[in-house]
Amino acid sequence: MENSEEKFGEEVLEACIRHAKEVLAVQLPNIKDKKYDFAPQFKDLTIQLYLVGVMQQFYDQYEATTADAQEKAFNALYCMMVKDGVKSKRAKNQAQFVRQMSRLDDGDEALSLALGYESKPGDRSLAEVFDHYVGEARVSKGLWHSFDQGKKILVLGGLLFAMAGVWFVTIYLPESENITIFAIGLLSALLFVVPVFLVGLLIHRFKTRKSNRTQTPSK
């Protein structure tokens, strides 16, 4: 009896994953045509949340409660990623991250998950999700590219300043102790990293506020 239940559960899981991929295959052309300028990380997360909603809808017919169906859906997302070649540990971490992002600060479900759950055959629900975020600087590809470039600048610049500090102490204060040399190198790195980070943060806030003002209709 137990083996038959496990087999049934595996068959339902396979059918759920197959259904989700079929839905995604129909929805993806709707967003490819629009050529959205979203960061890859945001795009992947949005699609995964949408799929959780689709799979939750699928599991509703087998589970007693919506909460149980959603739990099964998150597990199905993990299994889907593993089947697609993602390593188990990475898939587990990503599924956990998707779970965390599935709820907003006010407790409501994420829009992508909600529209995935309410989706119907042939609709454009995934495109509706992305349309909602068009123009938001915080999820744009350009801003995330700048963020990645900024990380490289911080790391390389910090290393160069640290090396310069160590070189200066070694040449001009050769009797300095190792702890002193290390402290000077660390301080030199901070003298570069902190100001550059603060400038980057101000630029990010400025772009975000500008984007929000642009989206807010005038009364």
Side-chain angles (χ1 to χ4, degrees), residues 12-211:
V12 173
L13 174 62
E14 292 289 341
C16 179
I17 293 174
R18 190 162 55 249
H19 169 70
K21 289 188 174 183
E22 290 172 355
V23 171
L24 186 60
V26 173
Q27 293 289 337
L28 283 179
N30 296 331
I31 65 174
K32 287 181 178 178
D33 292 342
K34 296 195 174 187
K35 298 180 180 179
Y36 293 114
D37 183 34
F38 292 124
Q41 299 91 330
F42 171 77
K43 185 176 179 181
D44 291 343
L45 174 63
T46 300
I47 291 174
Q48 288 170 344
L49 282 167
Y50 180 84
L51 289 178
V52 170
V54 170
M55 292 188 285
Q56 179 183 341
Q57 182 192 87
F58 179 88
Y59 265 111
D60 268 347
Q61 60 188 310
Y62 298 103
E63 300 298 322
T65 66
T66 302
D68 291 339
Q70 188 173 92
E71 188 65 30
K72 292 283 188 178
F74 280 114
N75 180 64
L77 177 67
Y78 162 76
C79 294
M80 175 188 287
M81 287 189 286
V82 172
K83 286 179 178 294
D84 288 342
V86 180
K87 291 184 178 180
S88 179
K89 184 176 181 180
R90 183 179 176 185
K92 184 178 180 180
N93 290 337
Q94 181 62 21
Q96 183 60 34
F97 176 67
V98 173
R99 183 190 293 271
Q100 293 172 355
M101 300 302 293
S102 66
R103 290 283 174 181
L104 305 179
D105 293 337
D106 57 7
D108 290 341
E109 286 186 340
L111 177 65
S112 45
L113 191 153
L115 290 187
Y117 181 70
E118 296 170 1
S119 64
K120 293 180 173 53
D123 67 9
R124 300 175 61 87
S125 49
L126 183 57
E128 290 178 24
V129 176
F130 283 110
D131 286 344
H132 180 79
Y133 294 101
V134 169
E136 285 202 21
R138 58 182 177 174
V139 297
S140 70
K141 184 187 296 183
L143 186 63
W144 280 84
H145 178 70
S146 299
F147 177 73
D148 288 336
Q149 292 296 108
K151 286 194 298 183
K152 294 177 182 178
I153 292 173
L154 286 176
V155 172
L156 293 177
L159 286 174
L160 288 175
F161 267 65
M163 290 172 63
V166 170
W167 175 82
F168 179 86
V169 175
T170 303
I171 297 297
Y172 294 99
L173 300 171
E175 297 180 358
S176 299
E177 296 180 357
N178 290 337
I179 187 66
T180 302
I181 297 175
F182 174 78
I184 294 297
L186 181 60
L187 179 61
S188 299
L190 289 175
L191 288 175
F192 172 82
V193 170
V194 173
V196 173
F197 173 78
L198 291 176
V199 170
L201 184 62
L202 287 174
I203 294 174
H204 168 72
R205 293 188 66 180
F206 172 76
K207 287 186 176 181
T208 302
R209 287 180 179 179
K210 184 178 179 181
S211 173

